[in-house]
Amino acid sequence: MVEGKNISVSFRVSARFKHLLEAAAARERRSQTNMLETLLYDYCEQHGIEASHQTTDNNISVEDPTK
């Protein structure tokens, strides 16, 4: 199932992080959002982390990080 992108996330990063994200995304011909998604999904797959279908009050899927 294809997930829609309807949740906004905002956080502050260092200038170095921003420049590296821009460079990595450009090299892979990806958007910065897609680059972060790809990196996060790959990390989670490698470490056996899966999002559950449980939701919070904001309907955001969460997983117990202690599992």
Side-chain angles (χ1 to χ4, degrees):
M1 179 174 101
V2 176
E3 293 181 48
K5 295 182 182 180
N6 59 1
I7 298 176
S8 179
V9 177
S10 177
F11 51 92
R12 298 178 82 63
V13 298
S14 68
R16 179 175 182 256
F17 181 97
K18 177 66 172 168
H19 291 302
L20 289 171
L21 177 58
E22 289 171 342
R27 175 175 280 186
E28 295 290 319
R29 297 182 189 263
R30 298 177 182 272
S31 68
Q32 292 175 30
T33 297
N34 184 265
M35 189 74 218
L36 287 173
E37 286 178 339
T38 300
L39 292 169
L40 177 62
Y41 293 155
D42 287 350
Y43 177 90
C44 290
E45 184 177 319
Q46 290 175 9
H47 292 87
I49 300 170
E50 294 184 26
S52 71
H53 296 292
Q54 179 182 22
T55 59
T56 65
D57 291 338
N58 294 324
N59 293 326
I60 300 171
S61 184
V62 295
E63 174 73 14
D64 183 351
T66 61
K67 290 185 178 180

